[in-house]
């Protein structure tokens, strides 16, 4: 639902589908060690990555990428590494040079250069951060200590929301699912320190070990805050107990994917009667949102449970929990080294299997991009993004949309009535490429060179206030949810738009020197992926205007679900790691987008080749154009993932592990088997394949 970024800024992710969020999901944490190596740019098709002894018809991922991990083992400062991470690494170095330059004091800097330069310089000044200790947090700590009764909770919880502390709940905004022209307030479940509700409830050795480690981590953090050992230990247990109670009334990640499950628009008075123990009128007055009369209560069950929980918990425990939430929600890079190290030890080392913290400059580059993304983005786009890339990408997007238009005509299972509505939706998709038309204004945000903590806090509050100010105002359809330098892409069903920032439009994902076949396999598949999200199990529930409205005939809807169920079963049989299988339902939307997206890219590639008169049977550099296309797609996902990270991914991330994003798709495409001369019955060419789109 509402997720916090590295800086504590909430971005509403209700139903936004990102291409490969796992690429960027590095926990912010401690230390200064780590790889300083810059990777070379990979070409569109890199033969060095291919493992010639593998059989493409048996395991295409192994064939396309079998040599990748020998050439590029996972660096110690990462839990996952692959093609996408190499692109992100390249961008990180480019941003680093820009920030070092902007950080150079001296006159003549533009207001944006001052902000990004000083934010970066302050973040890098670990000595000053260590010297400050917990002083910057003291005012907040004192405020908790001074709380006398539960009657004082509304104001402090509202204040916490603004500074990025999601104690007990999460408050934000999003477009009304049923009327996309409106922005409404939303109140969501929240308040957990572990990644997801089932982390508190799952049985078995590994989940129990994680819980033990988490309680120890909480105790360690409280000790660093100055609590004596015995008190830190008992407080950590009380926090675990309270969070477990919250988890029990929370919704799991899979259920949250269905927009109907998380949409309960109600008058504020009705919400207030769900949780009579908290004065919501006072919470809303302090929240920073304009006055509201109605809001989306995503999970009413949760709030009923929250009411019971607050009533049953003594004030001392609530204060302990608030202190913990404050501490763990503060970005660890602005806390003294010992806190940062302890934070990394649990969230990085134990939860993700990452041996070493990332170099501080890398974390400061990320943090600056997270807080000032469109300020740094303007410099990035001017330096790194060629206008020709934008034109070429737009052409490809339009080709792929045309391919989908034609493909809809050929579907034998869909009625003419639903086809008309599907095309209406397709034609209404907005294509956004590179960067926003209007840049965000940061002039009212104060960034000081000697105040890393204050900068992070102010940037979070600035962004949260900007978000909340949208409530009740017309929707800005030009807005982007990710920064221009981000190596990712997304579809947003409420906007009905597809978004490809400049960061993803670079080699090898898009390479102006690569063959058309390679580019269609790489970025073409990604474009098709985002477009297909508009028609996956979530996206298909929204119409072309972005409204949650069923435009399918009952029979077509049933046929869609049967087809989707084939993919649920197919992916649900893949083993992610050890005893953990891929969750076929959690990953359904992404798998549908992967499958549909590559098919659309292939159709567009064929149409393009026909236009240009390219002979599809003629090998170039050892491969036919069709083989190049599939190798391009396969090499999007080269890389490897540490087992701890794989477990986390399988249990929380809607994206399938990398090898299944390759093999799961090609085994559903007879065009792949034909391109590589596979025989029916081989793993990549099963007799029975799944196809949704
Ligand atoms: Zn996706």
């Amino acid at each position: 639902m509402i997720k916090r970024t590295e800086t504590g800024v909430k971005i509403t992710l209700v139903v936004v589908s990102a291409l490969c969020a796992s690429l960027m999901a590095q926990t912010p944490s401690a230390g200064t060690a780590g790889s300083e190596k810059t990777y070379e740019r990979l070409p569109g098709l890199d033969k060095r990555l291919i493992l010639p002894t593998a059989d493409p018809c048996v395991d295409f991922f192994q064939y396309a990428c079998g040599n990748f991990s020998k050439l590029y083992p996972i660096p110690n400062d990462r839990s996952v590494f692959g093609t996408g991470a190499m692109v992100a690494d390249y961008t990180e170095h480019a941003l680093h040079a820009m920030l070092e330059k902007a950080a150079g004091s001296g006159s003549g800097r533009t207001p944006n250069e001052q902000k990004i330069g000083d934010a970066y310089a302050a973040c890098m000044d670990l000595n000053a951060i260590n010297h400050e200790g917990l002083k910057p947090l003291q005012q907040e700590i004192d405020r908790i200590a001074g709380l006398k009764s539960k009657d004082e909770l509304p104001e402090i919880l509202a204040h916490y929301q603004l500074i990025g502390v999601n104690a007990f709940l999460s408050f934000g905004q999003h477009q009304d699912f049923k009327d996309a022209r409106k922005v409404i307030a939303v109140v969501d479940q929240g308040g957990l320190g572990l990644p997801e509700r089932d982390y508190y409830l799952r049985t078995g050795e590994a989940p129990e070990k994680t819980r033990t480690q988490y309680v120890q981590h909480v105790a360690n953090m409280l000790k660093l805050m100055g609590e004596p050992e015995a008190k830190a230990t008992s407080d950590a247990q009380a926090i675990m107990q309270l969070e477990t109670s919250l988890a029990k009334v929370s919704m799991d990640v899979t259920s949250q994917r269905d927009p109907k499950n998380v949409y309960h628009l109600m008058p504020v008075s009705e919400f207030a009667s769900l949780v009579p123990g908290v004065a919501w009128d006072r919470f809303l007055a302090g929240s920073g949102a304009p006055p509201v009369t109605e809001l989306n209560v995503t999970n009413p069950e949760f709030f009923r449970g929250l009411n019971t929980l607050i009533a049953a918990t003594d004030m001392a425990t609530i204060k302990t929990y608030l202190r913990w939430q404050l501490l763990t929600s503060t970005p660890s890079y602005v806390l003294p080294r010992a806190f940062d190290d302890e934070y990394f030890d649990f969230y990085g080392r134990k939860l993700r299997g990452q041996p070493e913290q990332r170099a501080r400059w890398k974390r400061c580059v990320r943090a600056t991009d997270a807080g000032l993304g469109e300020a740094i983005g303007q410099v990035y786009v001017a330096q790194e993004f060629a206008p020709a890339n934008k034109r070429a990408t737009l052409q490809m997007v339009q080709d792929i949309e045309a391919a989908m238009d034609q493909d809809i005509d050929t579907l034998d299972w869909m009625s003419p009535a639903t086809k008309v509505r599907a095309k209406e939706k397709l034609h209404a998709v907005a294509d956004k490429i590179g960067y926003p038309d209007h840049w965000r204004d940061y002039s009212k945000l104060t960034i000081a060179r000697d105040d890393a903590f204050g900068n992070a806090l102010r940037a979070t509050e600035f962004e949260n206030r900007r978000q909340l100010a949208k409530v009740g105002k017309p929707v800005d359809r030009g807005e982007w949810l990710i920064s221009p330098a981000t190596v990712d892409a997304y579809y947003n069903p409420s906007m009905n738009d597809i978004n490809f920032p400049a960061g993803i439009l670079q080699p090898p994902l898009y390479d102006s020197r690569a063959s058309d076949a390679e580019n269609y396999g790489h970025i073409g598949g990604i474009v098709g992926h985002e477009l297909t999200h508009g028609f996956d199990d979530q996206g298909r529930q929204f119409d072309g205007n972005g409204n949650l409205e069923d435009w399918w005939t009952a029979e077509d809807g049933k046929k869609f679900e049967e087809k989707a169920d084939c993919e649920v079963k197919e992916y649900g049989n893949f083993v992610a790691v050890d005893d953990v299988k891929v969750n076929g339902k959690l990953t359904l939307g992404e798998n549908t987008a992967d499958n549909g997206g590559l098919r659309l890219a292939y159709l567009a590639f064929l149409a393009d080749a026909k236009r240009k008169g390219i002979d599809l049977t003629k090998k170039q550099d050892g491969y036919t154009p069709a083989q190049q296309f599939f190798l391009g797609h396969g090499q999007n996902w080269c890389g490897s993932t540490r087992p701890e990270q794989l477990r986390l991914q399988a249990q929380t991330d809607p994206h399938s592990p990398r090898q299944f994003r390759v093999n799961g798709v090609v085994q559903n495409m007879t065009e792949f088997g034909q391109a590589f001369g596979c025989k029916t019955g081989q793993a990549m060419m099963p007799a029975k394949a799944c196809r949704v789109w």
Side-chain angles (χ1 to χ4, degrees):
M1 288 298 309
I2 306 169
K3 291 215 167 142
R4 287 176 60 249
T5 65
E6 293 189 5
T7 49
V9 172
K10 282 175 283 185
I11 49 171
T12 306
L13 278 180
V14 179
V15 280
V16 166
S17 305
L19 157 73
C20 41
S22 53
L23 282 183
M24 304 296 285
Q26 290 287 340
T27 314
S29 3
T32 51
S35 165
E36 297 289 325
K37 186 176 164 190
T38 319
Y39 295 94
E40 67 268 47
R41 287 235 192 237
L42 299 183
L45 195 170
D46 192 338
K47 286 189 177 178
R48 296 172 312 137
L49 308 182
I50 292 174
L51 184 64
T53 53
D55 184 342
C57 296
V58 175
D59 185 343
F60 183 58
F61 175 75
Q62 186 64 6
Y63 179 76
C65 296
N67 272 337
F68 182 93
S69 298
K70 282 173 232 159
L71 290 164
Y72 307 107
I74 313 185
N76 278 341
D77 68 344
R78 291 206 181 248
S79 59
V80 48
F81 192 68
T83 317
M86 284 176 85
V87 178
D89 179 88
Y90 186 90
T91 303
E92 223 161 54
H93 280 84
L95 296 179
H96 184 214
M98 288 168 205
L99 289 172
E100 284 286 346
K101 187 166 166 240
S105 53
S107 55
R109 292 190 296 174
T110 66
N112 273 345
E113 282 166 352
Q114 177 273 320
K115 286 192 168 60
I116 59 176
D118 288 352
Y120 174 76
C123 177
M124 286 300 290
D125 194 350
L126 185 58
N127 283 340
I129 290 168
N130 284 335
H131 182 74
E132 280 289 285
L134 277 192
K135 254 187 283 169
L137 262 186
Q138 199 54 50
Q139 199 185 338
E140 299 291 345
I141 295 168
D142 291 346
R143 183 171 175 178
I144 298 169
L147 289 175
K148 291 190 178 60
S149 76
K150 293 174 193 171
D151 184 50
E152 293 170 70
L153 284 176
E155 283 78 12
I156 195 164
L157 292 182
H159 167 66
Y160 273 10
Q161 289 297 311
L162 279 171
I163 61 169
V165 182
N166 290 350
F168 288 124
L169 59 103
S170 185
F171 180 73
Q173 56 74 40
H174 65 72
Q175 278 170 274
D176 188 342
F177 286 2
K178 292 269 172 78
D179 183 356
R181 295 167 305 177
K182 273 168 50 186
V183 180
I184 55 171
V186 55
V187 61
D188 191 15
Q189 64 189 35
L192 304 182
L194 284 167
E196 205 260 328
R197 80 171 305 252
D198 286 343
Y199 271 77
Y200 293 85
L201 310 176
R202 226 178 246 122
T203 53
E205 199 183 322
E208 277 154 26
K209 186 175 163 200
T210 300
R211 286 196 285 274
T212 306
Q213 289 172 332
Y214 177 61
V215 173
Q216 186 60 55
H217 163 65
V218 176
N220 291 347
M221 291 288 270
L222 295 176
K223 267 190 274 177
L224 287 170
M225 247 180 142
E227 288 195 9
E229 173 114 27
K231 179 163 168 51
T233 304
S234 65
D235 279 355
Q237 277 154 359
I239 288 162
M240 185 62 174
Q241 203 179 356
L242 196 156
E243 289 188 2
T244 305
S245 302
L246 284 176
K248 281 180 182 159
V249 289
S250 296
M251 203 183 286
D252 65 79
V253 278
T254 306
S255 306
Q256 287 183 80
R257 284 195 64 251
D258 188 337
K260 291 193 293 296
N261 289 345
V262 290
Y263 182 75
H264 304 92
L265 187 65
M266 59 178 76
V268 170
S269 56
E270 192 181 331
F271 174 54
S273 68
L274 271 181
V275 199
V278 177
W280 294 104
D281 52 339
R282 281 163 43 212
F283 173 89
L284 290 169
S287 71
V292 293
T293 53
E294 58 177 9
L295 77 173
N296 178 18
V297 180
T298 59
N299 179 2
E301 258 333 286
F302 174 84
F303 286 96
R304 259 180 224 114
L306 179 63
N307 193 61
T308 311
L309 181 65
I310 289 179
T313 308
D314 61 73
M315 197 56 202
T317 305
I318 288 178
K319 285 160 86 164
T320 302
Y321 170 72
L322 292 179
R323 206 160 59 240
W324 160 245
Q325 282 287 316
L326 173 70
L327 186 62
T328 193
S329 302
T330 303
S332 67
Y333 65 85
V334 301
L335 292 176
R337 176 75 188 260
F339 290 86
D340 196 29
D341 285 349
E342 172 58 36
Y343 189 92
F344 171 73
D345 185 64
F346 180 71
Y347 287 101
R349 195 173 284 126
K350 294 199 170 80
L351 219 47
R352 296 173 183 274
Q354 183 178 324
E356 280 176 22
Q357 175 60 285
R358 306 208 75 205
R360 189 156 187 97
W361 72 261
K362 294 181 182 179
R363 301 172 62 209
C364 290
V365 166
R366 286 287 172 95
T368 311
D369 186 51
L372 291 156
E374 291 195 14
I376 196 169
Q378 287 180 58
V379 187
Y380 175 78
V381 164
Q383 264 184 44
E384 298 283 321
F385 190 53
N389 280 12
K390 186 163 175 164
R391 281 196 299 276
T393 307
L394 184 62
Q395 183 62 52
M396 183 170 280
V397 169
Q398 287 166 349
D399 285 354
I400 288 169
E401 286 169 347
M404 185 165 213
D405 192 274
Q406 288 169 17
D407 194 43
I408 289 170
D409 287 331
T410 68
L411 299 175
D412 57 6
W413 56 274
M414 189 183 273
S415 68
T418 305
K419 283 183 180 178
V420 169
R421 299 298 306 271
K423 287 198 174 195
E424 269 173 28
K425 175 161 188 181
L426 171 64
H427 298 153
V429 171
D431 307 326
K432 287 154 73 179
I433 295 161
Y435 50 90
D437 291 337
H438 302 286
W439 295 104
R440 207 165 286 170
D441 175 10
Y442 295 101
S443 58
K444 293 201 168 66
L445 169 62
T446 303
I447 296 291
R449 199 180 179 86
D450 58 356
D451 186 10
F453 182 94
N455 290 343
L457 195 78
R458 283 188 294 272
T460 299
E461 183 166 351
F462 175 81
E463 173 62 8
N464 286 335
R465 284 190 184 276
R466 187 187 74 82
Q467 296 285 359
L468 288 168
K470 295 180 196 169
V471 174
K473 304 245 169 54
V475 172
D476 173 9
R477 294 205 163 248
E479 188 183 7
W480 285 64
L481 300 182
I482 53 181
S483 74
T486 307
V487 186
D488 211 333
Y490 69 91
Y491 170 77
N492 179 350
S494 290
M495 291 279 198
N496 195 26
D497 63 2
I498 49 179
N499 303 260
F500 306 95
I504 201 166
L505 303 174
Q506 53 179 324
L509 305 173
Y510 171 75
D511 187 349
S512 57
R513 299 156 308 173
S515 74
D516 291 331
E518 288 156 16
N519 276 329
Y520 273 102
H522 273 293
I523 194 74
I526 292 166
V527 170
H529 173 106
E530 300 310 337
L531 192 61
T532 306
H533 269 316
F535 303 87
D536 70 14
D537 60 319
Q538 272 182 345
R540 80 176 191 93
Q541 299 189 50
F542 292 80
D543 68 12
N545 295 320
N547 294 325
L548 185 61
E549 189 205 285
D550 190 2
W551 46 271
W552 296 62
T553 66
E555 197 178 333
D556 289 341
K558 201 164 153 271
K559 283 182 189 159
F560 176 93
E561 279 172 13
E562 282 165 16
K563 288 174 169 297
D565 197 49
C566 180
E567 284 185 358
V568 171
K569 294 196 177 85
E570 176 194 355
Y571 283 79
N573 272 323
F574 293 143
V575 175
V577 62
D578 301 334
D579 57 334
V580 183
K581 284 190 170 177
V582 174
N583 179 339
K585 281 213 165 80
L586 174 63
T587 57
L588 175 60
E590 295 302 331
N591 299 333
T592 303
D594 280 347
N595 279 270
L598 198 67
R599 181 177 301 281
L600 292 178
Y602 192 74
L603 292 173
F605 151 67
L606 290 183
D608 180 70
K610 197 173 168 191
R611 267 198 308 270
K612 292 174 179 160
I614 292 170
D615 180 357
L616 290 177
T617 59
K618 197 174 155 206
K619 287 190 177 179
Q620 289 165 339
D621 207 15
Y623 294 99
T624 66
Q627 289 173 334
Q628 288 176 21
F629 171 89
F630 286 109
L631 282 165
H633 169 68
Q635 292 193 343
N636 263 349
W637 301 110
C638 288
S640 43
T641 308
R642 296 189 192 278
E644 294 87 345
Q645 174 72 27
L646 264 176
R647 179 176 289 269
L648 179 72
Q649 183 180 346
Q651 291 174 340
T652 60
D653 188 336
H655 301 85
S656 293
R658 58 183 67 250
Q659 69 269 35
F660 307 123
R661 299 194 72 170
V662 176
N663 289 352
V665 175
V666 299
Q667 71 184 48
N668 288 332
M669 281 182 79
T670 48
E671 295 87 343
F672 169 81
Q674 284 156 7
F676 282 91
C678 307
K679 294 189 187 67
T680 304
Q682 284 188 289
M684 298 296 108
M685 201 165 173
K688 187 180 165 294
C690 299
R691 178 173 171 189
V692 180
W693 288 101

